[in-house]
Amino acid sequence: MFVEQLYTGCLAQGAYYIESEGEAAIIDPLRETTPYVRKADKAGAKIKYIFETHFHADFVSGHLDLARKTGATIVYGPNANTAYEVHKATDGEVFKLGNVWIKVLHTPGHTLESTTYLLIDENGKDQAIFTGDTLFIGDVGRPDLAIKGDLTERDLAGMLYDSLHTKIMPLADDVIVYPAHGAGSACGKNMSKETTDTLGNQKMFNYALRAKSKAEFVEQVLEGLSKAPAYFAQNARLNKEGYEPIDQVMQRGTQALSPVEFEAAVNETGAVMLDVREAADFANGFVPNSINIGLNGQFAPWVGALIPDLKQPIALITPAGLERETIVRLARVGYDQCIGYLEGGFLAWQQADKEVDMIESISADTFAERLKQQPDALVIDVRKPTEFEPEHVEGAENLPLDTLNEHLAQIPRNETVYVHCAGGYRSMVANSILKARGFDQIVNVEGGLAAIRKTDIAVVATPAVNH
């Protein structure tokens, strides 16, 4: 028996490859299927099953393409109604894979169809659980994403408590927990940077498993949940109803466009121009009205948060050699309408004598000097409220990046606005959006709060409110 976690940092997502005696199963695969097929081919194994723990909301699963290419059976747990053919398993059903078994444990709560898969070895010993979004390392799945009909988030939280206490916690302490996500995912609020652990450790250290009652569990799990990203519901729908084959998406997106063709295609389709270069490179010059979301960050989730329509045409500006990777990473979250990329990148645009825009970007030390000269200058911090409240520049206004488009009316157009985040990634995203919306007096603060702390700028906490 062989088990491998295939972890993707951008999405903080774990897919799994299980192999025994020439038969393989994939759990929660990402959109691109080639890595799974190659791994099985190299081992001389046949992919027999594709197990889905639930209808994922934060990424588009690769189950349909993988099934088409390998003939594997897609397996969901109870309550999973799809628009395509699957094996809808019953609670307790067992699947044989080589000389091991995979048992279905229906664990509703995160969603109604959420299912945990228990791996049992050739000796009948429970080895591991693949928990999807039911149980994370340090947390449990949020119960507010699948509210339907008369069900409330409290109802789902209660179901989650029952699932954990009747299906998972009775298992032995040495059972290994393999979750679908780790720190950085919006599917939970308190996930560890560790991507696997023993169930015994989780019983001791996971706050949600230590709750003394169902009522306490419900309160703890619902407390402090952030707003779900806008694209979550659309991704869940694609996973339930189906989507375009990845090969077609790649063929359309990998069209190389000259600067003239690129400009014409954008004008014709209304495409968003998405520049995925580093923030510093973008600041020094970019195609006017393009948006910067760098590949070297949580690229796909930020695209999902800031481009609300999955069907929005997108034209890419990338570093040389990263065109295909960018298209794949967009497809992972359902953005399939990439119309092509600027051949030769931004340099080709410059060499064609096309118009170029820039964003003023200053060091934290320069920012400090300017604040001394103009203490009442408007400073916008685009971090999350939970980051802003413990420490922020005195007098700064908090406009989180994921809500920026909703608050443009609050930002003056006729005065200088300084924008920063924690380290510089999100502030350039924000500045690119503002620039494209006609804000011409924006200034980026390089290095964000991490750099600002090293200056003599006053950093304060939001005063506690007494109720």
Side-chain angles (χ1 to χ4, degrees), residues 70-193:
T70 66
T73 299
I74 300 170
V75 179
Y76 274 98
N79 298 331
N81 299 313
T82 63
Y84 48 87
E85 185 177 351
V86 300
H87 179 100
K88 191 191 297 187
T90 57
D91 188 26
E93 186 171 351
V94 176
F95 295 82
K96 196 167 192 315
L97 186 78
N99 61 4
V100 302
W101 293 266
I102 296 175
K103 184 177 180 180
V104 173
L105 306 178
H106 185 212
T107 50
H110 173 64
T111 65
L112 290 176
E113 77 285 350
S114 285
T115 296
T116 294
Y117 296 101
L118 171 64
L119 178 62
I120 304 169
D121 70 16
E122 61 271 21
N123 298 314
K125 185 180 187 305
D126 296 344
Q127 286 287 338
I129 45 174
F130 301 87
T131 54
D133 288 16
T134 294
L135 175 63
F136 298 126
I137 308 305
D139 203 358
V140 291
R142 53 192 295 173
D144 62 326
L145 301 181
I147 299 169
K148 293 181 180 178
D150 295 332
L151 282 177
T152 68
E153 59 186 27
R154 301 186 76 84
D155 293 329
L156 285 164
M159 288 183 194
L160 183 56
Y161 177 88
D162 291 338
S163 293
L164 292 166
H165 283 261
T166 62
K167 299 292 182 65
I168 290 179
M169 290 183 70
L171 298 172
D173 287 353
D174 62 353
V175 167
I176 300 169
V177 179
Y178 288 119
H181 293 291
S185 168
C187 294
K189 62 181 180 182
N190 192 49
M191 284 180 268
S192 168
K193 292 181 180 178

Side-chain angles (χ1 to χ4, degrees), residues 19-76:
E19 181 194 315
S20 175
E21 299 296 311
E23 294 185 335
I26 312 295
I27 297 180
D28 293 340
L30 283 182
R31 187 80 178 271
E32 64 274 25
T33 58
T34 302
Y36 312 114
V37 174
R38 283 179 177 169
K39 189 171 288 293
D41 287 348
K42 186 176 180 180
K46 176 177 175 55
I47 298 176
K48 184 178 182 181
Y49 297 115
I50 303 160
F51 291 102
E52 289 286 357
T53 56
H54 64 295
F55 294 128
H56 306 283
D58 59 313
F59 69 95
V60 178
S61 176
H63 56 317
L64 288 174
D65 281 326
L66 192 55
R68 292 187 193 108
K69 293 179 179 181
T70 66
T73 299
I74 300 170
V75 179
Y76 274 98

Side-chain angles (χ1 to χ4, degrees), residues 136-252:
F136 298 126
I137 308 305
D139 203 358
V140 291
R142 53 192 295 173
D144 62 326
L145 301 181
I147 299 169
K148 293 181 180 178
D150 295 332
L151 282 177
T152 68
E153 59 186 27
R154 301 186 76 84
D155 293 329
L156 285 164
M159 288 183 194
L160 183 56
Y161 177 88
D162 291 338
S163 293
L164 292 166
H165 283 261
T166 62
K167 299 292 182 65
I168 290 179
M169 290 183 70
L171 298 172
D173 287 353
D174 62 353
V175 167
I176 300 169
V177 179
Y178 288 119
H181 293 291
S185 168
C187 294
K189 62 181 180 182
N190 192 49
M191 284 180 268
S192 168
K193 292 181 180 178
E194 300 300 321
T195 61
T196 185
D197 195 8
T198 63
L199 182 57
N201 275 342
Q202 286 305 293
K203 290 176 185 177
M204 287 191 292
F205 300 115
N206 188 319
Y207 79 94
L209 300 188
R210 296 175 63 193
K212 295 180 176 64
S213 66
K214 182 186 287 192
E216 181 180 316
F217 173 90
V218 170
E219 295 303 323
Q220 289 180 344
V221 168
L222 294 180
E223 183 183 6
L225 289 177
S226 59
K227 181 182 176 183
Y231 75 101
F232 269 28
Q234 298 179 76
N235 274 202
R237 179 181 53 78
L238 287 175
N239 284 320
K240 186 175 184 178
E241 297 178 3
Y243 48 77
E244 185 178 6
I246 187 69
D247 293 343
Q248 294 179 22
V249 174
M250 296 303 297
Q251 183 177 9
R252 179 172 56 247

